[in-house]
Amino acid sequence: MERFDEHLHPWRRRSFDDAPPALRRRIFGVDYLRLRGRQAGELFVTRHGWPVLDSLVPSRWFGGERLPKAARALAGATGAVYRMPVWHPAHPRFALVIKFSRFGQPALLSAATGTGLDSALQDRIRSSDFLPPFEEFAHLERLRAAAGPRLRIKAPLAIYSPATRYLEWQLGRTTTRRWWYDRVLREDQATLPASQRVSYEWERIYILLYRWIDGIDAEKACESGALSYQTMVELTETARQVMRDAGWEVLDHKPRHVIVRPRGEGGQLLMHRGRIAWALIDYELLVPNGSTA
């Protein structure tokens, strides 16, 4: 398994802002520290991820048979998404969400009739593609900044790209939009020194690491009786409206993207200021809606 041996690097114990300039990358407005493994794999660590770096190095979750044996595929996820308990020195229940990026693949969504979506948004849904990994993190951070404390989301920790290379058809990627993704990233990187620029490696996979949020999705809560159907619908619409007010939209927004937290065995849910506490997950189709973002 590829190693990212932090003990070889004196910068490991420094703060994010004190890390050497050679490690720094800025991609779509998000700051990363880029670490290279012994086999040329790359780990892009965000500010959120740097304090838990020991839990993010691939040997903790990706080595050998560890991922298929220890991880749990998340119910309702349409892509390869897993929950993975990972060692952490201070948090025994620490877990990652491990998501294999589907960028370059058409989303093939359909806009359901009677959903109240305007025609422009329905057109975007029909022609949508999954976000590239760096754009997904960037969109999420912009949403976080715009929505503030009204919205709880998973913390984006790191993006890992193993050194292994594949044929494009093996990754399900199409070539029709490749030029566009390359152009957008190239324009974003144009003002940076050449040594700090990043480009997509189309023959490699990208794995997004998020911090796990405890709870169950609103659909499952409805099935268990913790939420009524009407409350589930209202909660889902509340999440959509918070995003819209902040200038964003998830094109395939649904109850499975809203997480609530049961309390004990009585079927009650965690409340915050008299309302059901909830969080938003799944951001690979998060896009600005043109209002304020």
Side-chain angles (χ1 to χ4, degrees):
M1 176 59 205
E2 182 172 26
R3 302 292 300 183
F4 290 75
D5 193 346
E6 63 271 18
H7 299 296
L8 297 179
H9 304 286
W11 43 260
R12 171 60 188 86
R13 300 303 173 189
R14 300 183 188 179
S15 70
F16 187 93
D17 290 321
D18 289 335
L23 301 181
R24 298 187 177 281
R25 300 294 184 273
R26 186 169 179 82
I27 312 170
F28 298 120
V30 178
D31 292 318
Y32 298 87
L33 297 181
R34 173 183 168 273
L35 313 182
R36 285 184 69 88
R38 296 182 181 180
Q39 298 173 11
E42 297 177 305
L43 184 68
F44 294 85
V45 186
T46 69
R47 289 182 180 275
H48 307 293
W50 190 246
V52 294
L53 177 61
D54 290 339
S55 299
L56 301 182
V57 290
S59 57
R60 294 288 186 194
W61 54 270
F62 194 65
E65 296 297 315
R66 176 153 172 71
L67 181 59
K69 285 184 177 180
R72 172 171 59 86
L74 298 184
T78 53
V81 186
Y82 304 89
R83 178 188 184 275
M84 179 74 164
V86 179
W87 174 87
H88 187 283
H91 301 284
R93 296 185 60 202
F94 187 86
L96 299 175
V97 174
I98 300 170
K99 191 183 81 170
F100 287 74
S101 175
R102 293 188 283 176
F103 92 106
Q105 304 176 26
L108 300 177
L109 298 178
S110 61
T113 58
T115 58
L117 304 180
D118 60 47
S119 58
L121 183 55
Q122 292 192 38
D123 288 342
R124 294 185 74 180
I125 291 173
R126 295 187 186 97
S127 61
S128 59
D129 296 324
F130 296 112
L131 286 172
F134 297 114
E135 289 192 47
E136 181 170 328
F137 272 23
H139 285 199
L140 186 58
E141 290 289 51
R142 290 172 64 193
L143 171 62
R144 179 199 297 273
R150 295 177 297 164
L151 180 62
R152 185 185 177 207
I153 57 179
K154 293 183 295 190
L157 304 177
I159 297 171
Y160 175 50
S161 181
T164 304
R165 295 181 179 273
Y166 302 86
L167 298 175
E168 285 193 15
W169 66 264
Q170 291 177 297
L171 301 177
R173 293 174 181 159
T174 63
T175 59
T176 55
R177 292 275 288 170
R178 175 173 173 171
W179 68 272
W180 173 256
Y181 295 127
D182 286 339
R183 174 186 171 184
V184 171
L185 182 56
R186 186 168 58 250
E187 290 178 350
D188 174 76
Q189 299 287 289
T191 60
L192 299 175
S195 62
Q196 294 185 4
R197 294 175 190 171
V198 173
S199 60
Y200 292 123
E201 299 280 352
W202 285 88
E203 300 82 16
R204 292 164 66 167
I205 62 174
Y206 289 84
I207 305 171
L208 285 73
L209 304 180
Y210 288 98
R211 182 145 185 188
W212 171 258
I213 293 178
D214 285 331
I216 60 175
D217 66 69
E219 184 174 311
K220 184 177 293 185
C222 181
E223 293 172 353
S224 70
L227 285 178
S228 68
Y229 178 81
Q230 182 61 33
T231 302
M232 178 192 73
V233 171
E234 292 173 354
L235 198 60
T236 305
E237 184 55 32
T238 294
R240 184 196 298 277
Q241 193 58 51
V242 169
M243 285 189 289
R244 283 179 169 173
D245 290 345
W248 293 85
E249 187 89 45
V250 170
L251 295 181
D252 64 336
H253 184 62
K254 52 194 173 186
R256 283 193 177 274
H257 293 173
V258 179
I259 298 297
V260 295
R261 189 166 182 177
R263 297 175 57 188
E265 302 296 329
Q268 295 182 334
L269 299 177
L270 182 68
M271 306 293 287
H272 178 67
R273 296 181 178 178
R275 298 181 179 181
I276 297 172
W278 57 273
L280 180 73
I281 62 171
D282 202 327
Y283 321 109
E284 64 183 353
L285 288 167
L286 175 66
V287 297
N289 63 18
S291 60
T292 60

